[in-house]
């Protein structure tokens, strides 16, 4: 241990938003768990802050995600053969910058939440502290193995691999991770997703925060950190489908896309028969999920795992194509019997109409979603990481 606290350096990168959100969740759980010894958790965007070429790669990833998701198959397959950030025994770019960061934090543990930070960056962290190398662990955000699961997630020389679901742990073992250093940890999300429900609070939230009607079918049009969305096309498809069996309402998250936010508010003003609440990025996402009847989202692991914990049916927005890492999210959900794929806007209207016509089908879908919830929580992840830290030789 470093003095009277456990120092943890969490490596992440903003390719999408899932890696950063897992890093923040780990930090928040550590802060709220009253651990003994207390944890000092520092987050580090290792790619962006180490070298300009890595920053360019991150930016390119995000541009492709927003504009042409199908192109990611080329990006992904190139990186599977050409290491993006020091895979294997290769040296990372910007090593001196990263070394300085490691020596500044002097961590007991280095935890990666990103697939391209588990090889060269782990080696560099250990070499930066030769007298007392930190233990190195990976938390993998994916939901299944096969095509779309990057080999860069797995470093057999790492001290620990934490998978969210059994399918991922099995894939890690196939890539050479020792079973005794593989741990099934469950979903790493904000503590609010495990808080008990309060129906009075939820009704107040719907009325006062969303200006919508409690108890009505509520469709959430979600977006990620890159604000990628097709909200207007989906709203138009719902309108074009004609009168629905029962009234519904929509919450449209627009992220940082102010233009989309304005356009959706204008659409809502022109179409008052379908109440729409257009919002930028929201802090109380767990609360929003609890009052949602179904969510439309890209097949990312972030919104998908949030929906599973909340028992919310998922409709996967695959307009513009599907990225390799999204392929395995859809695969996981289909293996567990839930998840609808939207290939065109009209698919949304048809699915919603079917659910509203026969509510029993929606209830059954919700039960299949809930059945996929892991038994473990981030508290189990913290305990396993604490054990790993305790195994570090005293210095």
């Amino acid at each position: 241990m470093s003095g009277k606290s456990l120092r943890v350096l969490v490596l992440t990168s903003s390719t999408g938003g899932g890696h950063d959100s897992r890093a923040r969740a780990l930090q928040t759980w550590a802060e709220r768990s009253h651990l003994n010894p207390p944890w000092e958790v520092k987050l580090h965007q290792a790619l962006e802050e180490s070298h300009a070429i890595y920053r360019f790669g991150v930016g390119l990833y995000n541009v492709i995600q927003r504009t042409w998701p199908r192109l990611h198959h080329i990006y992904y397959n190139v990186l599977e053969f050409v290491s993006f950030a020091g895979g294997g025994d290769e040296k990372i770019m910007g090593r001196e910058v990263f070394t300085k960061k490691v020596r500044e934090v002097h961590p007991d543990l280095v935890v990666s939440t990103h697939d391209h930070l588990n090889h060269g960056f782990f080696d560099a962290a250990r070499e930066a502290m030769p007298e007392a190398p930190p233990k190195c662990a990976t938390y993998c955000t994916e939901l299944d193995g096969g095509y779309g699961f990057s080999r860069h997630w797995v470093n057999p020389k790492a001290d620990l691999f934490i998978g969210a679901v059994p399918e991922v742990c099995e894939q890690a073992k196939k890539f050479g991770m020792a079973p005794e250093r593989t741990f099934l940890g469950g979903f790493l999300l904000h503590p609010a997703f495990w808080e008990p429900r309060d129906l009075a609070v939820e009704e107040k939230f719907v009325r006062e925060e969303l200006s919508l009607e409690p108890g009505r079918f509520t469709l959430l049009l979600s977006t990620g950190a890159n604000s990628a969305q097709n909200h207007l096309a989906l709203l138009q498809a719902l309108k074009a489908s004609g009168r629905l069996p029962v009234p519904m309402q929509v919450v449209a998250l627009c992220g940082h896309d102010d233009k989309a936010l304005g356009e959706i508010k204008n659409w809502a003003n022109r179409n008052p028969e379908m109440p729409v609440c257009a919002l930028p990025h929201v802090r109380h996402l767990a609360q929003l999920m609890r009052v949602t009847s179904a969510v439309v989202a890209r097949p990312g692991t972030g919104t998908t795992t949030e929906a599973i914990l909340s028992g919310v049916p998922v409709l996967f927005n695959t307009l513009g194509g599907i990225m390799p890492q999204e392929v395995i999210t859809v695969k996981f959900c289909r293996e567990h019997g839930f998840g609808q794929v939207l290939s065109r806007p009209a698919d949304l209207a048809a699915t919603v109409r079917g659910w509203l016509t026969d509510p029993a089908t929606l209830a059954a879908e919700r039960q299949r979603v809930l059945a996929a919830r892991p038994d473990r929580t981030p508290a189990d992840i913290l305990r396993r990481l604490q054990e790993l830290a305790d195994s570090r030789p005293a210095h």
Side-chain angles (χ1 to χ4, degrees):
M1 291 305 161
S2 303
K4 296 182 179 180
S5 63
L6 176 68
R7 295 181 183 173
V8 183
L9 180 62
V10 183
L11 308 183
T12 182
S13 177
S14 297
T15 50
H19 307 291
D20 288 342
S21 69
R22 296 331 190 283
R24 290 192 298 269
L26 180 62
Q27 185 180 49
T28 303
W29 273 89
E31 291 171 349
R32 297 187 182 185
S33 297
H34 306 293
L35 300 168
N36 185 24
W39 287 26
E40 295 180 19
V41 181
K42 304 291 184 182
L43 309 187
H44 180 54
Q45 290 191 306
L47 293 178
E48 293 91 319
E49 296 184 26
S50 293
H51 199 278
I53 291 180
Y54 293 156
R55 286 194 295 275
F56 172 79
V58 171
L60 178 61
Y61 177 104
N62 291 330
V63 167
I64 294 172
Q65 185 183 46
R66 285 194 302 269
T67 59
W68 194 8
R70 192 174 287 109
L71 188 61
H72 255 292
H73 288 272
I74 297 174
Y75 185 100
Y76 167 84
N77 283 289
V78 167
L79 296 186
E80 285 302 284
F81 290 96
V82 180
S83 174
F84 184 39
D89 295 319
E90 298 175 16
K91 302 299 182 182
I92 63 173
M93 293 181 285
R95 187 184 187 87
E96 63 286 350
V97 176
F98 181 67
T99 296
K100 180 180 179 181
K101 182 67 177 182
V102 172
R103 290 174 177 166
E104 172 190 314
V105 177
H106 204 77
D108 301 290
L109 284 176
V110 174
V111 180
S112 164
T113 62
H114 195 282
D115 46 332
H116 290 289
L117 300 174
N118 306 297
H119 293 265
F121 280 91
F122 281 0
D123 292 341
R126 288 166 172 153
E127 291 169 16
M129 298 171 55
E131 75 293 347
K135 292 291 185 177
C136 296
T138 298
Y139 176 80
C140 180
T141 61
E142 306 294 7
L143 289 178
D144 215 326
Y147 177 74
F149 183 94
S150 173
R151 64 185 178 88
H152 297 298
W153 273 115
V154 183
N155 179 356
K157 295 187 296 180
D159 298 296
L160 182 65
F161 178 92
I162 303 173
V165 293
E167 292 89 338
V168 166
C169 291
E170 290 305 310
Q171 183 68 67
K173 294 172 190 175
K174 290 178 182 178
F175 280 171
M177 200 70 204
E180 66 272 15
R181 286 184 280 119
T182 303
F183 180 72
L184 175 60
F187 299 156
L188 183 54
L189 297 172
H190 192 277
F193 283 94
W194 282 268
E195 292 176 355
R197 297 191 63 165
D198 186 322
L199 295 181
V201 171
E202 292 173 14
E203 289 187 4
K204 182 178 180 181
F205 176 77
V206 173
R207 289 188 187 279
E208 297 184 4
E209 300 293 328
L210 305 180
S211 298
L212 296 175
E213 185 67 30
R216 181 177 290 188
F217 181 92
T218 303
L219 181 69
L220 174 61
L221 303 181
S222 187
T223 188
N226 289 324
S227 304
Q229 46 80 27
N230 309 95
H231 294 348
L232 281 178
L234 296 173
L235 288 170
Q236 282 296 121
L238 288 171
K239 178 183 177 181
S241 69
R243 187 178 180 85
L244 294 168
V246 297
M248 65 170 289
Q249 56 197 9
V250 177
V251 178
L253 293 183
C254 301
H256 304 292
D257 192 338
D258 293 336
K259 180 181 178 183
L261 182 66
E263 290 174 343
I264 293 168
K265 286 182 176 180
N266 289 337
W267 189 95
N269 290 334
R270 296 193 306 270
N271 298 274
E273 68 279 4
M274 182 181 294
V276 177
C277 174
L279 297 172
H281 180 73
V282 293
R283 292 186 298 111
H284 306 293
L285 190 54
Q287 186 72 280
L288 181 58
M289 275 291 187
R290 289 193 180 101
V291 301
T292 293
S293 307
V295 58
V296 177
R298 295 290 311 179
T301 59
T303 303
T304 302
T305 52
E306 291 163 355
I308 291 172
L309 283 181
S310 306
V312 176
V314 188
L315 300 106
F316 291 120
N317 176 0
T318 67
L319 278 65
I322 185 169
M323 301 188 295
Q325 60 271 40
E326 294 176 331
V327 169
I328 51 179
T329 301
V330 174
K331 175 185 173 186
F332 171 85
C333 294
R334 285 183 163 171
E335 288 172 348
H336 288 264
F338 68 91
Q340 310 293 319
V341 175
L342 309 179
S343 301
R344 55 197 182 97
D347 294 341
L348 172 61
T351 302
V352 169
R353 180 175 291 279
W355 282 342
L356 295 180
T357 302
D358 184 4
T361 60
L362 178 61
E365 182 84 355
R366 184 176 293 113
Q367 289 305 310
R368 290 190 290 269
V369 173
L370 284 170
R373 291 183 61 162
D375 294 328
R376 288 180 173 160
T377 74
D380 296 297
I381 295 174
L382 293 182
R383 280 192 289 271
R384 184 63 186 90
L385 289 173
Q386 182 72 62
E387 291 173 0
L388 179 62
D390 290 343
S391 71
R392 187 169 176 250
H395 294 276

